[in-house]
Amino acid sequence: MFRVTLFGESHGPGVAAVIDGCPAGLRLDPAEIHKELAKRMPPDATVTSARREQDEVQILSGVFDGYTTGAPLAMFVPNRDIRSEDYDKLKSAARPGHADYPTRIKYGGFNDLRGGGRASGRLTAPIVMAGAVAKKLLGSIGVSVFAHTVQIHRIRLEKQLTHEAIIRGTYTNTVRCADSETAEKMRAAILKARNEGDSVGGIVECIAEGLPPGIGEPIFDSLDADLAKMAFSIPAVKGFEVGLGFQASSVLGSVNNDPYTVKDGKVVTLTNNAGGILGGLTNGMPIVVRVAFKPPSSIPKQQNTVNLKEMRDTKVEVTGRHDPCIVPKAVPVVEAAVAIVLADHCLRSGTIPRVLGKKD
Amino acid sequence: MFRVTLFGESHGPGVAAVIDGCPAGLRLDPAEIHKELAKRMPPDATVTSARREQDEVQILSGVFDGYTTGAPLAMFVPNRDIRSEDYDKLKSAARPGHADYPTRIKYGGFNDLRGGGRASGRLTAPIVMAGAVAKKLLGSIGVSVFAHTVQIHRIRLEKQLTHEAIIRGTYTNTVRCADSETAEKMRAAILKARNEGDSVGGIVECIAEGLPPGIGEPIFDSLDADLAKMAFSIPAVKGFEVGLGFQASSVLGSVNNDPYTVKDGKVVTLTNNAGGILGGLTNGMPIVVRVAFKPPSSIPKQQNTVNLKEMRDTKVEVTGRHDPCIVPKAVPVVEAAVAIVLADHCLRSGTIPRVLGKKD
Amino acid sequence: MFRVTLFGESHGPGVAAVIDGCPAGLRLDPAEIHKELAKRMPPDATVTSARREQDEVQILSGVFDGYTTGAPLAMFVPNRDIRSEDYDKLKSAARPGHADYPTRIKYGGFNDLRGGGRASGRLTAPIVMAGAVAKKLLGSIGVSVFAHTVQIHRIRLEKQLTHEAIIRGTYTNTVRCADSETAEKMRAAILKARNEGDSVGGIVECIAEGLPPGIGEPIFDSLDADLAKMAFSIPAVKGFEVGLGFQASSVLGSVNNDPYTVKDGKVVTLTNNAGGILGGLTNGMPIVVRVAFKPPSSIPKQQNTVNLKEMRDTKVEVTGRHDPCIVPKAVPVVEAAVAIVLADHCLRSGTIPRVLGKKD
Amino acid sequence: MFRVTLFGESHGPGVAAVIDGCPAGLRLDPAEIHKELAKRMPPDATVTSARREQDEVQILSGVFDGYTTGAPLAMFVPNRDIRSEDYDKLKSAARPGHADYPTRIKYGGFNDLRGGGRASGRLTAPIVMAGAVAKKLLGSIGVSVFAHTVQIHRIRLEKQLTHEAIIRGTYTNTVRCADSETAEKMRAAILKARNEGDSVGGIVECIAEGLPPGIGEPIFDSLDADLAKMAFSIPAVKGFEVGLGFQASSVLGSVNNDPYTVKDGKVVTLTNNAGGILGGLTNGMPIVVRVAFKPPSSIPKQQNTVNLKEMRDTKVEVTGRHDPCIVPKAVPVVEAAVAIVLADHCLRSGTIPRVLGKKD
């Protein structure tokens, strides 16, 4: 119902999201989308790519008099600060861990290889734009979605933070971890990798609060299946879990099962190992998911690879502006991805109506 | 292209899979489907539910003269050995960890609650049937798919097994782990949980060999996204990862990147941390994914819960025939799920043709 | 939202419809489906095929305690009274006007050619079954759908009948035309063609009353586009029009435009040339569509054709049991097809809710 | 496989088409798209709207080095020469025959009503852009698609023209009818209506040559069903037919059936009453379809209508720049619509490959 189409490439005219199925009557201010996009730019440039994306959203359709019209909502961000020459030498050598080799095979070499083309992290900008709209829709029914970094390389967030602390603290530092002490260690881990010409990965957790029970579908369109699919649509994701996730496979059923109780006249669970989802449906508890990111593949360190034109072994050093860790930038992307799926399911179930109010 | 629709409930007339988009000309013998279905029934009944599903597949459409016709392929398995009375007492008490509470909310109580209805593991039988067809299609282009148990509760398969050893050893024991020593410990863990009225979970790994590079799509329809979605369509799944998966988030880029080399005139990688997928596309190396299952929620142990009719706290003991661990049964299901997604992508890319050969 | 999948072949085990997206809580009695299926069997066997389909519906899933559960609703009808030998001689000679030649090409000859296989009119039985469910859903919001024959060969219904007269009179005679005088002439036209070893076509009109304004979508998913697509999914359909249809192309805009007026506090139009649809959306007036059927291609008369195996010209006489006119049988099929599309759009817009009521 | 998404409104920043699934390796020059767009602007402004759309296509993604990349292909045309004030007075009075009343109901009044918003004929520009790409793809396998006007108001093209004559003559005059004599009468009919403050409709025929047999799908995704759906996605369409169409309902089966014969080693039919489609599949003969357009609803003549705010009867005169007949502009739109559907089905069947050639 809330169908998002992306287009654009890293070094083309720009990137865009088109949302088909956005309800009419949603107040939408480009400034709100800018605010979400800005979250992709951590304040401290040393931990992320030197490419500064100062994105300016153009709403090309679907908004009239400040409200969504119910027609497809198209949001475009022109590309700026492009330096294509950095990639020229990579045409023949496959970059280890990068999508360039299978992409070349798939598209017969016609793919736009500048800046990673369509596989570029640049494509996460339109996910964030679509997510900004989804978050507003969810906000209209009292649902909030927020993500934070829980691991960078080997540094884990060990403290149990309240939802309030996460919401307040995440975007105050450059690694998007709400605990400042852990955040400092994470930042150090990124800088260390960077100085060694290497890169690191990490884990982002995302929480959604306020969903009523019974949202979702069983089996093939289950809420967790759609969340998993959307998570793996984000570049560099290698793992996804809900609630206890992989850890659920090593605890007893009597421990993993969340006991029900009645609280303030509502059915709640005393623990939330299920991460808010049972049988593909919300159970009324907060949705909790975690997304694992691999370290970025583009590193200055010399690596063994193959010259694809001459089919012989060679070496490659990937220079240019690359992120030593994309996790900080990925936090708002995970937030957006989760929000898109939740908005879609809330629209399917009728929890969010097709028209928000009525215009005079 | 290879669209699978399931229907049926645990205690209704039967369960079925309808495949739309199966190529014409595939030789299909019901015995082959029976063979796959039989994998769901571990030889040792003590580790699984006492319900013995001796499934007899009826092909209702799509096969003529022993070959698929290109029309929708419908396969039906009647339900037998049903004892519905076991579930009668569960109508008012929500079972912790079970989908019954959110399902009741979603469907206004009209859902078929007998035997878990549509959320039942019984629905994995048609996944296996559809997977049997997908595996045959993949076999026609030299692709093989095989899964095995790598963890039950806290018992992990620590040995590194060859693909041959996995293929040969998996279905020789009741827990579907190819290493007999580990398998014995896993079996003991299940029996221990069972004797305590409890349950355990585990992890299934699935490998697919023989795919050419460049199969898949970028971003929203990426191969890993579709695999993740399909994995989460299997009941009780809480985690999914590709290649190194979650572990990729704690190694350096220089370690995680798989170096390319030329071997026998083909591009291969020296390691396979990517699990065969880069940027949503196959890179020509084996696909490796892992799926985490929670312990079954239905346990004889007494649990705290809520009486939904009277909205008050109560206790529940889930009796009846339930599996203390569904991982052994899940192994062929994961195999099937992965095969379905791979067949779909091979059809999309034209790697598997729309018609296999020509009839006289 | 109301997705119908058909499977089955003319001479296989049976034919079926699976509805995904049917709301929970719809009271459903197999007798109601039988009643609709019976409409496909005109009382006078001389105008239709000698094959008597006494269909017995088996509900395989999706109904519990007499109500739909919200799970996929599968309805199956076993095939009976099959005489496959009639078709044996047709294997090599393409039948003019029949789908057998392109079907053989598309499926490499693997298609089930017995009884027309999947292109058989037999596949309209599951459309009628799905339509029976759709009509019940529409009935729950006060919408009624009814079709009637308005032309057979050159005999047109010239009288302007009231909706009441159509509803009352259509199924009282064998050609499904509510005006008995015209019906008699139509019957004569069919018998004349039959006696000459030939066949005739005709036009079915379908009306839907009671839809509120604003149902549908603009452009690609417009209500008329979906109705057109569904109409052309019925075998032998060659034309589709809405309201004035083709005639609208030869009247002036000032004549074609339906003037609005206020009646009983509601906006209505004084004429209904639009057939109830403007810009892909309902305008609150009755939906009126017409569907043109060609004469059945299978005729006993000798025809010129090609021997496909030897690639030379030959003659063919199509014997066996064939309808000299399928229009009478098609009337309930058109009704069903229109109802399916309307139910789908009413579910999309939320006009029909996802759950009808609540179970104790 | 060839999915077209449109966005934009008549008076917004512009209109666009995004094609998902376009093969890589198609040589694409914006000039070719301009050429198709220019066909929407008949040379003689008196028969069409005074709004001159001098469209300049911007390719926003999916093309690199002059070839399609396989990534989504986004084409945008900015809107120019907009005069929104013309529509201000129409806010309260529903325009007879126009989509404004049901649109207002559907979207709670939030829809962009300027210039008809999304229901505007302006949205046919992106259909033509997508069609230009589809026509190039079809051209790569030797398929040509061409439409022409066969009726304006009561003036019909009675002469039987060769395909060559149609291709050569259609775009040489302002009404897009290849017979200059008939064209002149059609032009006069439009001018007469225009001078009377009225409007006229007409019929466009479209032919596709060169398709091999067996393209399409049976039943729900049949080629004719998809063509019908696409035709009704064009504004103002009220009828669609294939081959003999509605006329097929009044001829005998022995006349309607197209006899097969062998010609130059290929199976052909001696007549083409089927319009190239049997059972939803191509039969190797030219596709022939006809699309009926109603007269434009916006006319200067005074009409009876309703003031929607005050719910009382009133009068309306629709001034501003409106077409007295949209058929001439619709000819390239029908061509594009047909080409889009054919390209999609040729991609599905593998007749057009996913990659056209290989880049150095």
Side-chain angles (χ1 to χ4, degrees), chain C residues 198 226 229 254 257 261 313, chain D residues 198 226 229 254 261 303 313:
Chain C
D198 217 321
D226 279 351
K229 180 172 169 109
S254 57
N257 284 351
T261 190
D313 285 7
Chain D
D198 217 322
D226 279 352
K229 181 173 168 108
S254 57
T261 190
Q303 298 173 88
D313 287 7

Side-chain angles (χ1 to χ4, degrees), chain B residues 223-286:
Chain B
L223 186 58
D224 36 358
D226 279 352
L227 287 167
K229 181 174 168 107
M230 187 54 104
F232 273 92
S233 302
I234 304 172
V237 168
K238 297 305 277 188
F240 174 83
E241 59 181 15
V242 179
L244 269 195
F246 273 84
Q247 213 188 315
S249 62
S250 57
V251 299
L252 289 170
S254 57
V255 172
N256 186 64
N257 285 350
D258 302 304
Y260 288 108
T261 190
V262 177
K263 193 179 159 185
D264 303 333
K266 284 172 62 182
V267 176
V268 297
T269 61
L270 295 168
T271 51
N272 187 18
N273 296 327
I277 304 179
L278 289 175
L281 309 175
T282 55
N283 67 355
M285 299 305 290

Side-chain angles (χ1 to χ4, degrees), chain A residues 49-349:
Chain A
S49 152
R51 177 169 169 183
R52 305 307 294 169
E53 298 164 345
Q54 285 174 350
D55 294 323
E56 194 189 339
V57 180
Q58 299 168 5
I59 294 182
L60 298 181
S61 71
V63 173
F64 177 54
D65 273 358
Y67 289 89
T68 55
T69 61
L73 174 58
M75 298 172 287
F76 181 73
V77 175
N79 286 331
R80 303 194 205 285
D81 190 14
I82 299 169
R83 303 191 207 158
S84 288
E85 70 281 12
D86 291 350
Y87 301 90
D88 280 353
K89 51 188 141 182
L90 298 168
K91 278 185 187 164
S92 53
R95 278 169 280 174
H98 193 276
D100 60 0
Y101 163 62
T103 303
R104 172 199 284 241
I105 300 288
K106 179 174 174 63
Y107 296 112
F110 289 106
N111 55 296
D112 184 350
L113 43 80
R114 299 169 302 164
R118 203 183 170 207
S120 161
R122 181 71 181 144
L123 266 290
T124 58
I127 294 178
V128 170
M129 294 192 274
V133 177
K135 285 170 82 171
K136 279 219 73 175
L137 282 172
L138 291 166
S140 76
I141 57 163
V143 173
S144 61
V145 182
F146 46 95
H148 61 134
T149 302
V150 296
Q151 185 173 332
I152 297 274
H153 197 48
R154 296 177 191 278
I155 313 297
R156 282 174 199 234
L157 171 66
E158 304 284 359
K159 280 182 208 158
Q160 193 68 27
L161 301 178
T162 63
H163 289 183
E164 231 185 353
I166 297 168
I167 293 169
R168 210 176 357 150
T170 297
Y171 290 102
T172 60
N173 61 63
T174 216
V175 296
R176 287 25 182 136
C177 174
D179 179 60
S180 57
E181 216 172 315
T182 312
E184 200 41 55
K185 288 181 199 159
M186 289 173 168
R187 186 171 171 272
I190 298 174
L191 292 179
K192 183 166 181 288
R194 188 194 178 202
N195 292 337
E196 291 166 0
D198 217 320
S199 64
V200 289
I203 300 175
V204 174
E205 182 178 76
C206 187
I207 298 160
E209 270 193 328
L211 284 158
I215 306 290
E217 301 289 335
I219 313 185
F220 288 144
D221 291 318
S222 69
L223 187 57
D224 34 359
D226 279 351
L227 287 167
K229 181 172 168 107
M230 186 54 104
F232 273 92
S233 303
I234 304 171
V237 168
K238 298 304 277 188
F240 174 81
E241 60 181 13
V242 180
L244 270 194
F246 273 85
Q247 213 189 314
S249 62
S250 56
V251 298
L252 289 170
S254 58
V255 172
N256 185 63
N257 284 351
D258 302 304
Y260 289 108
T261 190
V262 177
K263 192 178 160 185
D264 303 333
K266 286 171 63 181
V267 175
V268 297
T269 60
L270 294 168
T271 52
N272 188 18
N273 295 328
I277 304 180
L278 288 174
L281 310 175
T282 55
N283 66 356
M285 299 304 290
I287 306 279
V288 182
V289 302
R290 269 176 305 281
V291 182
F293 289 85
K294 69 176 183 180
S297 62
S298 295
I299 54 173
K301 245 188 188 168
Q302 199 183 62
Q303 300 174 88
N304 290 317
T305 190
V306 160
N307 180 312
L308 294 168
K309 290 192 180 165
E310 305 169 12
M311 282 300 274
R312 58 166 178 78
D313 286 8
T314 183
K315 308 272 182 190
V316 69
E317 286 155 38
V318 186
T319 54
R321 299 171 302 180
H322 297 291
D323 291 305
C325 181
I326 47 82
V327 174
K329 276 184 175 177
V331 169
V333 178
V334 171
E335 235 173 71
V338 168
I340 288 167
V341 172
L342 295 178
D344 180 41
H345 276 274
C346 286
L347 282 162
R348 284 199 211 186
S349 63

Side-chain angles (χ1 to χ4, degrees), chain C residues 35-53 149 152 170-177 187 190 323-333:
Chain C
K35 208 182 121 196
E36 291 294 316
L37 276 175
K39 288 180 175 177
R40 288 176 71 247
M41 285 297 101
D44 178 354
T46 57
V47 303
T48 59
S49 152
R51 175 169 171 182
R52 304 309 293 171
E53 297 164 346
T149 302
I152 296 273
T170 297
Y171 290 102
T172 60
N173 61 62
T174 216
V175 296
R176 288 25 182 136
C177 174
R187 187 171 169 272
I190 297 174
D323 290 305
C325 182
I326 47 86
V327 174
K329 278 185 175 177
V331 169
V333 179

Side-chain angles (χ1 to χ4, degrees), chain D residues 146 148 159-168 178 207 209:
Chain D
F146 46 95
H148 62 133
K159 280 182 210 160
Q160 194 67 26
L161 302 178
T162 63
H163 290 184
E164 233 187 352
I166 297 168
I167 292 169
R168 209 175 359 148
I207 298 160
E209 270 194 329

